[in-house]
């Protein structure tokens, strides 16, 4: 099955078709996430190198594209050179969900080209490929083992000529072609310049884990997502997780016409000004046990009043445990679940990928028309992001896409220094978030008590006073007065500030303590 | 001693099968494509053929049809090997036995014996 492509982007194509030419047809790969990275799929009749070290996933990817093609009316030929035997390759594929034995030897043919290459060189191989494509009326050709063909070329020029002639042949016939190769030691090989696209797979260690990454280094005729994207190989075959920042990079202001919505805690709504704006993202920071999860549950429960759909994305507490907590607090989450208004998306611990989490989250948002999301918590996304420096842009892109869908989001973030005055979001993250709410423990009135403060509210004029709160039988109850801090606790803060390096952002008076709206010192 | 002709485009498999089947007491001839295979059949007496289905040039189906159409080889037992689905293999006419890739040595021997018995 082929679909028509949108006009190519002038920023990334280096061979624009004439303006009066019809758009080049797309050939969807059927690989989850990959067609999005490619801007809709491969281009019909294009020649693409699929490059990566042994074990990177080239053979699975090549086969997966073949099986998708034949399942949608295409015909494919898979030609191997010095690769694993067809029988074993197919046996290894049988456990994958895309595998279907029915088209093999019918619409999907596997042949070996090595003997022809060995006896007749690359000219003979080209002749074999031409005949195979014509005899089988192929719309897709995979040549597995391009480096072997290169070994038989008399010169780089001869190899370039082979690629060029193959490229010409398949483009005229309209047979999309994948050339699988381990690559060469050179950063740029002659074949790279001849093809329409270059897709590179890697499998590299990152600390104790290994991550697979795919990058489109070249793609003529179409815009595509640049940079690296993680992918996984499992029962579904190859699944690509486009990088969230690449998917949702365009800015927009979907909040312009938004209405305020309740956090589920009336007193907090007043502290924020009028609650939070629909489509906004709020970060709730605090140490363990401060009440972040409960605040999140109350936020979700507020959706019950308007029969809106809600989603809890958690990393650390199971849905059963959250349900027990909400039952104890009398929150209507069980009823919401029974009515199909609440979904728990629990990310059980393991080697998660943040982009995959976002893809699943957005799929649930769209499928169930979710209006409220709680992500409990940011530390789970932080662990899944692989490259920590991505976090601000990742968070911004995710928040922007949720904003566009008018989903109001609350993210919890565990802070590990409860006594520090420097509870703050990850550097660079705050600018992407509409609201920052801080929970902490303070010593006051002879007891260690919880308190809450609105550090930032982008859309309303917040009440910045720090208030006590308790977790009662019905959840968080915020007191009306602001806290009066214990003198010994304040002295401890002074010692912390004296020990910390001086910063230009530190206020000259009160050494780092934000101004108190109630005048207390 | 029975003479076996193996026709398969995967040269590594051909070399492996040659060694294996010679150990089983067969005289083994090999061809890497259908056209060469038919040429061997035209000049050599063969007792059984092991025929791959998917090959460049003349594919296995065409070779099988040629074998059945030639009066000299119309009754020659042919064991077809392929990674194709059972339904595809089962629909083939003219094959004495079918063997799905990948196969074990024991399965291969059994299939050849079955073909020879017919």
């Amino acid at each position: 099955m082929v679909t028509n492509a949108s006009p190519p982007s002038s920023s990334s194509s280096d061979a624009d078709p004439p303006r009066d030419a019809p758009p080049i047809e797309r050939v969807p790969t059927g690989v989850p996430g990959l067609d999005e990275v490619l801007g809709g799929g491969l281009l019909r009749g294009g020649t693409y190198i699929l490059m990566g070290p042994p074990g990177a996933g080239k053979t699975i990817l090549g086969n997966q594209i073949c099986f998708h093609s034949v399942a949608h009316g295409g015909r494919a030929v898979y030609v191997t050179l010095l690769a694993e035997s067809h029988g074993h390759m197919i046996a290894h594929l049988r456990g994958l969900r895309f595998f279907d034995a029915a088209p093999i030897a019918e619409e999907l043919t596997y042949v070996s080209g090595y003997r022809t290459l060995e006896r007749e060189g690359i000219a003979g191989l080209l002749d074999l490929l031409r005949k195979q494509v014509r005899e089988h009326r192929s719309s897709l050709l995979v040549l597995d083992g391009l480096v072997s063909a290169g070994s038989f070329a008399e010169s780089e020029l001869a190899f370039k000529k082979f690629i060029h002639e193959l490229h010409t042949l398949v483009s005229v016939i309209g047979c999309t072609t994948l050339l699988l190769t381990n690559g060469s030691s050179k950063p740029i090989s002659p074949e790279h310049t001849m093809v329409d696209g270059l897709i590179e797979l890697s499998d590299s260690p990152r600390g104790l884990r290994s991550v697979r990454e795919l990058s489109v280094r070249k793609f003529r005729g179409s815009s595509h997502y640049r940079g690296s994207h993680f992918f996984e190989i499992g029962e579904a075959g190859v699944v690509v997780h486009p990088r969230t920042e690449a998917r949702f990079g365009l800015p927009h202001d979907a909040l312009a016409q938004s209405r305020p919505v309740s956090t589920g805690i009336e007193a907090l709504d007043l502290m924020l000004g009028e609650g939070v704006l629909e489509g906004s993202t709020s970060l709730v920071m605090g140490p363990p046990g401060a009440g972040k999860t409960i605040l999140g549950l109350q936020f979700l429960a507020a959706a019950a009043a308007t029969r809106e759909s809600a989603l809890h994305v958690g990393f650390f507490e199971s849905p059963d445990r959250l349900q027990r907590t909400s039952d104890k607090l009398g929150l209507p989450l069980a009823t919401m679940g029974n009515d199909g208004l609440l979904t728990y998306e629990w990310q059980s611990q393991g080697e998660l990928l943040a982009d995959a989490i976002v893809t699943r989250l957005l799929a649930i948002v769209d499928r169930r028309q979710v209006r409220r999301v709680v992500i409990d918590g940011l530390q789970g996304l932080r662990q899944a992001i692989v490259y920590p420096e991505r976090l601000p842009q990742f968070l911004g892109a995710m928040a922007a896409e949720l904003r566009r869908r008018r989903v109001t989001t609350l993210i919890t973030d565990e802070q590990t220094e409860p006594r520090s005055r420097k509870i703050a979001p990850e550097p660079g993250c705050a600018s992407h978030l509409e609201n920052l709410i801080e929970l902490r423990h303070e010593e006051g009135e002879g007891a260690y008590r919880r308190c809450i403060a609105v550090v930032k509210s982008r859309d309303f004029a917040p009440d910045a006073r720090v208030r006590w709160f308790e977790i009662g039988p019905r959840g968080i109850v915020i007191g009306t007065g602001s806290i009066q801090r214990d003198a010994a606790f304040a002295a401890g803060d002074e010692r912390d500030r004296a020990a910390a390096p001086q910063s230009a952002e530190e206020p000259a008076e009160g050494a780092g303590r934000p101004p108190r709206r109630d005048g207390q010192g | 001693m029975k003479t076996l002709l193996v026709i398969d485009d995967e040269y590594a498999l051909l070399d492996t099968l040659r060694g294996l089947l010679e150990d089983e007491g067969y005289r083994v001839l090999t061809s890497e494509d259908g056209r060469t295979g038919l040429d061997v059949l035209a000049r050599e007496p063969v007792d059984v053929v092991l025929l791959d289905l998917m090959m460049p040039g003349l594919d296995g189906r065409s070779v099988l049809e040629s074998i059945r159409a030639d009066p000299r080889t119309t009754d020659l037992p042919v064991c077809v090997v392929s990674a194709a689905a059972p339904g595809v293999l089962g629909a083939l006419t003219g094959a004495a036995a079918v063997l799905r890739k990948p196969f074990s040595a024991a399965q291969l021997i059994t299939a050849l014996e079955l073909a020879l018995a017919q």
Side-chain angles (χ1 to χ4, degrees):
Chain A
M1 182 183 76
V2 295
T3 59
N4 287 325
S6 55
S9 160
S10 60
S11 63
S12 59
S13 66
D14 56 2
D16 290 337
R19 287 189 183 275
D20 57 350
I24 304 173
E25 287 181 54
R26 289 280 185 176
V27 178
T29 64
V31 176
L34 180 56
D35 289 333
E36 184 179 344
V37 171
L38 297 175
L42 302 170
L43 296 178
R44 183 175 177 180
T47 304
Y48 303 93
I49 282 179
L50 197 53
M51 182 169 78
K58 303 182 298 297
T59 297
I60 290 181
L61 185 57
N63 274 283
Q64 191 169 340
I65 296 172
C66 282
F67 279 91
H68 177 81
S69 172
V70 302
H72 292 83
R75 298 179 64 86
V77 174
Y78 196 107
V79 180
T80 57
L81 298 178
L82 268 183
E84 67 182 309
S85 74
H86 298 157
H88 278 101
M89 177 170 56
I90 290 168
H92 294 152
L93 297 173
R94 282 204 180 116
L96 303 177
R97 283 205 293 268
F98 65 77
F99 179 83
D100 178 12
I104 296 175
E106 302 279 335
E107 295 84 7
L108 173 55
T109 302
Y110 292 85
V111 297
S112 173
Y114 187 73
R115 266 296 195 241
T116 301
L117 176 66
E118 195 179 40
R119 291 185 177 147
E120 300 172 36
I122 53 176
L125 177 62
L126 184 63
D127 195 48
L128 179 146
L129 296 175
R130 178 170 38 239
K131 286 177 180 169
Q132 285 302 298
V133 166
R134 289 180 60 189
E135 282 169 17
H136 294 284
R137 293 173 284 121
S138 304
S139 55
L140 179 68
L141 168 68
V142 177
L143 178 64
D144 191 346
L146 183 67
V147 69
S148 298
S151 300
F152 280 87
E154 293 168 356
S155 64
E156 276 190 11
L157 180 61
F159 192 44
K160 281 181 80 167
K161 199 161 161 280
F162 163 77
I163 302 285
H164 173 68
E165 290 174 11
L166 176 62
H167 179 243
T168 303
L169 164 71
V170 297
S171 67
V172 166
I173 295 176
C175 177
T176 309
T177 299
L178 300 178
L179 307 174
L180 278 51
T181 180
N182 291 342
S184 73
S185 57
K186 301 175 188 175
I188 299 175
S189 294
E191 62 270 26
H192 295 179
T193 62
M194 307 305 296
V195 297
D196 296 306
L198 183 57
I199 300 171
E200 187 170 14
L201 308 183
S202 67
D203 187 1
S204 318
R206 289 286 176 266
L208 289 179
R209 68 185 291 190
S210 287
V211 289
R212 298 180 185 274
E213 295 178 59
L214 176 149
S215 67
V216 180
R217 289 174 48 193
K218 175 182 179 182
F219 200 72
R220 284 185 189 149
S222 169
S223 58
H224 60 278
Y225 292 166
R226 291 171 57 83
S228 291
H229 311 277
F230 296 115
F231 71 95
E232 296 176 291
I233 299 179
E235 284 185 1
V238 171
V239 177
V240 178
H241 305 297
R243 201 159 35 81
T244 302
E245 308 90 286
R247 298 176 76 189
F248 308 126
L250 294 178
H252 51 78
D253 186 12
L255 295 181
Q257 305 298 325
S258 289
R259 60 186 175 95
V261 298
S262 172
T263 60
I265 303 168
E266 190 178 337
L268 180 56
D269 292 341
L270 292 172
M271 289 177 71
L272 286 160
E274 295 181 45
V276 295
L277 269 192
E278 181 186 47
S280 65
T281 299
S282 305
L283 186 70
V284 177
M285 308 171 286
K292 301 183 299 298
T293 296
I294 289 177
L295 195 156
L297 293 178
Q298 288 184 251
F299 174 76
L300 292 178
T306 48
R307 299 281 300 168
E308 289 179 327
S309 192
L311 168 64
H312 186 281
V313 180
F315 292 88
F316 307 106
E317 293 188 60
S318 69
D320 284 345
R321 177 170 286 188
L322 292 170
Q323 195 55 62
R324 283 198 296 275
T325 302
S326 67
D327 288 345
K328 283 181 194 169
L329 298 173
L331 298 175
L333 298 187
T335 305
M336 289 174 67
N338 293 337
D339 292 347
L341 293 178
L342 176 63
T343 305
Y344 288 103
E345 175 68 10
W346 183 36
Q347 318 297 314
S348 54
Q349 288 301 293
E351 295 186 339
L352 303 171
L353 291 172
D355 302 299
I357 294 168
V358 168
T359 297
R360 285 197 295 275
L361 182 161
L362 293 175
I364 297 170
V365 164
D366 290 342
R367 192 166 65 244
R368 294 186 171 268
Q369 299 185 356
V370 167
R371 286 293 165 262
R372 287 178 182 244
V373 170
V374 165
I375 300 176
D376 189 15
L378 186 62
Q379 59 272 32
L381 286 176
R382 201 180 276 120
Q383 290 165 7
I385 211 162
V386 182
Y387 296 101
E389 63 271 22
R390 282 183 64 195
L391 187 63
Q393 283 72 34
F394 168 85
L395 205 58
M398 183 184 71
E401 188 58 17
L402 288 168
R403 187 183 307 129
R404 191 183 69 80
R405 285 172 159 85
R406 308 192 81 82
V407 175
T408 312
T409 305
L410 190 145
I411 305 175
T412 67
D413 186 17
E414 184 173 290
Q415 299 284 334
T416 56
E417 296 177 335
R419 286 183 59 88
S420 169
R421 269 294 191 185
K422 292 189 173 59
I423 289 183
E426 197 98 3
C429 289
S431 54
H432 298 293
L433 306 167
E434 278 77 25
N435 310 296
L436 299 177
I437 300 165
E438 179 185 324
L439 309 183
R440 73 153 72 97
H441 295 104
E442 287 269 0
E443 240 178 291
E445 300 172 0
Y448 206 52
R449 298 175 64 183
R450 294 183 173 92
C451 58
I452 183 170
V454 174
V455 176
K456 172 186 173 184
S457 172
R458 183 176 280 168
D459 303 299
F460 303 114
D463 178 354
R465 284 176 289 182
V466 184
R467 296 183 185 278
W468 298 117
F469 76 91
E470 291 179 343
I471 298 177
R474 287 290 175 260
I476 289 174
V477 177
I478 300 176
T480 54
S482 56
I483 67 168
Q484 191 162 3
R485 296 184 67 238
D486 184 89
F489 197 87
D493 264 8
E494 290 290 344
R495 286 194 295 274
D496 289 343
R497 280 190 291 273
Q502 289 297 304
S503 161
E505 295 175 358
E506 293 283 344
E509 192 171 337
R513 183 181 305 174
R516 300 293 301 272
R517 291 178 182 263
D518 60 1
Q520 297 297 322
Chain B
M1 179 185 287
K2 300 285 186 188
T3 299
L4 163 68
L5 171 63
V6 185
I7 308 176
D8 196 307
D9 63 325
E10 291 191 83
Y11 81 97
L13 187 60
L14 278 180
D15 290 345
T16 301
L17 292 180
R18 182 204 303 276
L20 185 73
L21 295 169
E22 283 177 351
D23 288 347
E24 290 295 318
Y26 288 93
R27 174 176 171 252
V28 181
L29 306 174
T30 59
S31 296
E32 288 169 3
D33 62 79
R35 177 61 55 199
T36 311
L38 290 175
D39 291 343
V40 169
L41 282 175
R43 62 172 189 270
E44 294 266 5
V46 169
D47 297 297
V48 61
V49 177
L50 192 65
L51 175 65
D52 183 26
L53 208 55
M54 290 186 283
M55 294 184 291
L58 206 61
D59 69 3
R61 281 193 185 87
S62 303
V63 171
L64 187 57
E65 285 169 10
S66 297
I67 290 173
R68 291 291 165 254
D70 187 339
R72 294 172 297 175
T73 56
T74 192
D75 294 326
L76 181 63
V78 178
C79 175
V80 171
V81 292
S82 178
V88 171
L89 293 174
L92 283 175
T93 53
V98 294
L99 185 61
R100 211 165 167 216
K101 284 182 176 179
F103 48 79
S104 67
Q107 289 170 328
L108 172 63
I109 303 301
T110 302
L112 286 173
E113 288 171 355
L114 181 67
L116 282 165
Q118 294 192 18

